[in-house]
Amino acid sequence: MKNVTFTFAIALLSLGAAHAQDKTPPPMKPEATEFYTPVPPKITPGAQNNLPPSDAIVLFDGSSLNSFVSARDGSSPAEWIIEDGDLVVQRGKGDIQSKMSFGDAQYHVEWSAPTEIVGEGQGRGNSGFFLMGMYEVQILDSYESKTYTNGQAGSIYKQFPPLVNPLRPPGEWNYYDIIFKAPRFDKNGMLTSPATATVLINGVVVQNHVILRGPTEYIGIPNYKAHAEELPIKLQDHGNPVRFRNIWVRPL
């Protein structure tokens, strides 16, 4: 009799468990996964996709160099020139940097390689766009010129080559759009989150949310060192008369 009672109890438990598994949760209303705040702020896009939207900070619009200083001391006037509304690198005058500092941001910069072809590889139409002054997105006339792949235009210099080469020929304008997330450090200066970058050239993705290994190094292995949350951007004087225009940024 005890065995029969025990068997009957087990059967009841099994039946209850099966019934519990068959029971479906009550239906969820669509409103349960909807929210209405915060409301995204309304902005006005540029008349063309390359032009600054209404919330952008315009660093260069062809009219003046007021947003830049020499990178040598961070305070003296930038010594590049404006020619026909374009910002032109002046050989030997040194890098220039923005007066304002930025961290996480969307950047837009347009550049054109010299039509007079001089040199080959890294000696041809070379400059650089340095995020936070230390993480370089390479600028180079690598339209047809050969160089190491992680040093051609659109590379995260010496770290990641571009996925493709969508450059236009020298004398024509190339458009860079960059989405950058700055690295984070704790109070002891230890890295808690590395920098990331997505880069488009002429509307084509060439860096897809890559994780930067550290600041740009010409020689050696990059290693992070703690720095400020926001720093100026830098444009490089590499000795070639690269031209720039339409430089703007949207802090994120």
Side-chain angles (χ1 to χ4, degrees):
M1 185 65 179
K2 289 182 179 180
N3 288 339
V4 172
T5 302
F6 179 76
T7 303
F8 181 68
I10 293 297
L12 286 176
L13 287 173
S14 299
L15 182 62
H19 181 70
Q21 290 176 353
D22 291 340
K23 188 175 180 181
T24 57
M28 180 182 290
K29 294 182 178 180
E31 294 81 0
T33 54
E34 299 169 357
F35 56 87
Y36 292 84
T37 58
V39 177
K42 184 175 178 57
I43 67 168
T44 303
Q48 300 175 22
N49 287 343
N50 64 306
L51 298 180
S54 58
D55 64 343
I57 298 170
V58 178
L59 297 180
F60 181 73
D61 63 2
S63 61
S64 77
L65 268 169
N66 290 341
S67 295
F68 289 92
V69 292
S70 171
R72 288 173 174 166
D73 57 17
S75 60
S76 59
E79 296 186 81
W80 295 9
I81 66 168
I82 298 176
E83 184 178 272
D84 299 326
D86 303 336
L87 176 59
V88 186
V89 178
Q90 294 300 288
R91 183 185 181 95
K93 298 298 184 180
D95 302 343
I96 65 173
Q97 69 182 45
S98 60
K99 291 180 180 178
M100 295 183 66
S101 294
F102 305 100
D104 298 353
Q106 172 188 348
Y107 294 96
H108 179 89
V109 57
E110 302 173 20
W111 62 274
S112 176
T115 53
E116 182 181 353
I117 305 302
V118 177
E120 186 67 16
Q122 294 294 303
R124 183 166 164 169
N126 193 329
S127 183
F129 187 84
F130 284 77
L131 303 155
M132 305 191 84
M134 62 182 70
Y135 306 98
E136 182 183 10
V137 180
Q138 174 72 313
I139 290 172
L140 187 75
D141 175 13
S142 48
Y143 174 67
E144 291 181 335
S145 176
K146 293 182 179 180
T147 189
Y148 41 95
T149 58
N150 61 349
Q152 72 180 71
S155 64
I156 305 299
Y157 186 72
K158 286 287 186 86
Q159 295 189 35
F160 300 99
L163 297 172
V164 292
N165 179 353
L167 289 185
R168 297 187 174 114
E172 295 188 20
W173 289 95
N174 293 289
Y175 297 28
Y176 275 15
D177 290 288
I178 303 166
I179 300 171
F180 177 73
K181 180 179 178 293
R184 267 60 171 177
F185 303 90
D186 66 17
K187 62 182 181 181
N188 297 314
M190 299 297 292
L191 180 72
T192 59
S193 177
T196 64
T198 295
V199 182
L200 290 84
I201 300 179
N202 301 326
V204 179
V205 173
V206 297
Q207 301 290 347
N208 185 14
H209 194 69
V210 294
I211 299 173
L212 277 61
R213 296 168 182 155
T216 296
E217 299 287 353
Y218 176 54
I219 299 174
I221 306 301
N223 289 290
Y224 281 101
K225 295 180 181 178
H227 57 68
E229 293 182 359
E230 296 184 346
L231 290 168
I233 63 165
K234 184 173 70 175
L235 300 176
Q236 184 183 39
D237 168 17
H238 201 278
N240 302 129
V242 177
R243 307 175 82 90
F244 292 89
R245 71 179 186 187
N246 201 19
I247 304 172
W248 51 265
V249 55
R250 294 181 63 246
L252 300 175

